Amino acid sequence: MRCTVHSAVNETLSSLDRTRRPIIGITAVVTQIKFAIFEMDATFVPQTFVQKVADAGCIPVLLAPQPGVEQTVGGLDGLLLLAGPDADPALYGQEKHEKTGWNDKVRDTAELALVEAALDADLPTLGICRGEQLINILRGGTLQQHLPDIVGHDNHSPGGKEYGQQKVRLEPGSHLAKFLAKDVVPCHHHQVIDQVGEGLTVTAWSEDGTVEAIEVNDHPFAVGVQWHAEESDDDSPFVALAEAARQRMSVRAR
C-alpha cells in the first residue's frame, strides 16, 4: 500500500512538473530610484527583460546581487544575465582604462559566483552584454576596455540613449545559427571580449571583427551575446532559453 501511495504521489509531482512554466532567474542591480515622493535604494530589473521572459512562457524571478545568490541555482530552470556597468578590470588582471566606468564590485562577486554555479549545474544560461563578458571573465578570458581604440569608430555605442546596429556573422552549427532570426542586432557597449576564456567558442562576429557572441563548450545551452537582445523585435534568444529550460525540466522529471 505504501509503495502504491508513493508511486501515485511521484506520478502526480511528475505531471505537475511537466505542466508548470519554467522559472528563469534574472540578475538584478541595486540602484537608487524615485517612487512617488520618496527616493530610495531598490533591487531593480528593467521591465523589458521581465516581459521578454514572461512572453516566452516562463516565470521571471529577480535575483538580488547578494552573497549566496548562487544557492538559488537549484530552484531555477534557467538563468538570464543582464547588461550593466563595466566589470572590475582587476578580475581579469588589468589596470583600469581611463574610459572604463564605475565598477560594482559587490555585484561582480555575486554574479560570478552565480554564473559558476549555473554552468556547473548545466543550467540553461543566456548572458546579455555584461552577462556575456562575465562568462568570459569566469573562464579566464579578458576584455578590451575601450573598443573604439581598436576599431576606430563609435558605431557599437553611438552615445546617449541611441543603440547602434551591427550586422553579425554566425558560426555554422552553433546554437545562435540555429535560432537567431535576424542578423542585424542592436548594441550599446564600449567594451568587448579580447582573449577568449577556456572552454568557450566564439560564435558571432560583427563586420569589423568584434566578438559578438560566445557559447560554452560541452554545455546544453550557455550562450552569451554582446548585443542588447531585449531591444530587438527578434525574441528568439529568449524563446531559445525558455525551450532549453523546458527540455531540462523534461529530463529531470523522468
Side-chain angles (χ1 to χ4, degrees):
M1 179 66 177
R2 183 178 180 183
C3 292
T4 303
V5 171
H6 281 190
S7 177
V9 169
N10 289 337
E11 184 176 344
T12 299
L13 290 175
S14 179
S15 176
L16 289 172
D17 197 56
R18 288 194 296 269
T19 58
R20 75 170 176 84
R21 290 186 290 165
I23 298 172
I24 306 297
I26 307 178
T27 53
V29 60
V30 176
T31 187
Q32 190 172 76
I33 67 168
K34 187 173 183 179
F35 180 74
I37 62 172
F38 303 101
E39 291 187 3
M40 65 188 77
D41 288 340
T43 300
F44 171 78
V45 167
Q47 182 62 25
T48 304
F49 294 100
V50 173
Q51 197 61 52
K52 293 285 187 181
V53 169
D55 288 347
C58 302
I59 298 173
V61 175
L62 276 57
L63 303 178
Q66 296 294 321
V69 67
E70 69 276 9
Q71 296 175 32
T72 63
V73 163
L76 301 176
D77 302 306
L79 177 64
L80 177 60
L81 304 166
L82 296 201
D86 296 337
D88 184 0
L91 293 170
Y92 49 94
Q94 292 185 10
E95 296 293 326
K96 191 171 184 178
H97 188 285
E98 63 179 5
K99 295 292 187 179
T100 295
W102 171 78
N103 313 129
D104 186 341
K105 296 184 179 182
V106 172
R107 183 179 176 188
D108 287 345
T109 300
E111 290 187 356
L112 283 170
L114 178 62
V115 175
E116 183 173 24
L119 296 184
D120 287 347
D122 282 343
L123 188 71
T125 299
L126 174 63
I128 294 178
C129 198
R130 166 189 162 90
E132 178 220 32
Q133 295 170 4
L134 286 180
I135 294 172
N136 191 58
I137 292 170
L138 176 69
R139 290 299 183 91
T142 65
L143 303 182
Q144 168 53 242
Q145 292 190 52
H146 193 57
L147 183 57
D149 290 347
I150 303 301
V151 297
H153 61 76
D154 294 318
N155 295 345
H156 292 266
S157 183
K161 297 180 180 179
E162 293 184 17
Y163 285 83
Q165 298 290 324
Q166 294 293 319
K167 184 178 178 62
V168 294
R169 172 172 58 89
L170 305 178
E171 178 67 22
S174 64
H175 283 297
L176 275 173
K178 294 174 183 176
F179 67 72
L180 195 67
K182 295 187 176 181
D183 62 359
V184 176
V185 297
C187 57
H188 197 294
H189 64 97
H190 79 112
Q191 297 194 339
V192 69
I193 289 176
D194 185 11
Q195 295 180 358
V196 181
E198 184 178 354
L200 305 177
T201 297
V202 178
T203 55
W205 303 259
S206 59
E207 292 180 313
D208 59 16
T210 297
V211 173
E212 292 287 350
I214 55 173
E215 297 181 14
V216 179
N217 303 338
D218 301 320
H219 190 287
F221 185 92
V223 177
V225 298
Q226 183 59 69
W227 64 85
H228 281 260
E230 80 283 1
E231 294 296 329
S232 173
D233 58 3
D234 176 9
D235 292 340
S236 61
F238 302 96
V239 173
L241 174 63
E243 181 56 31
R246 290 188 188 95
Q247 290 179 4
R248 183 174 187 268
M249 289 169 59
S250 177
V251 170
R252 289 164 65 90
R254 291 173 186 169

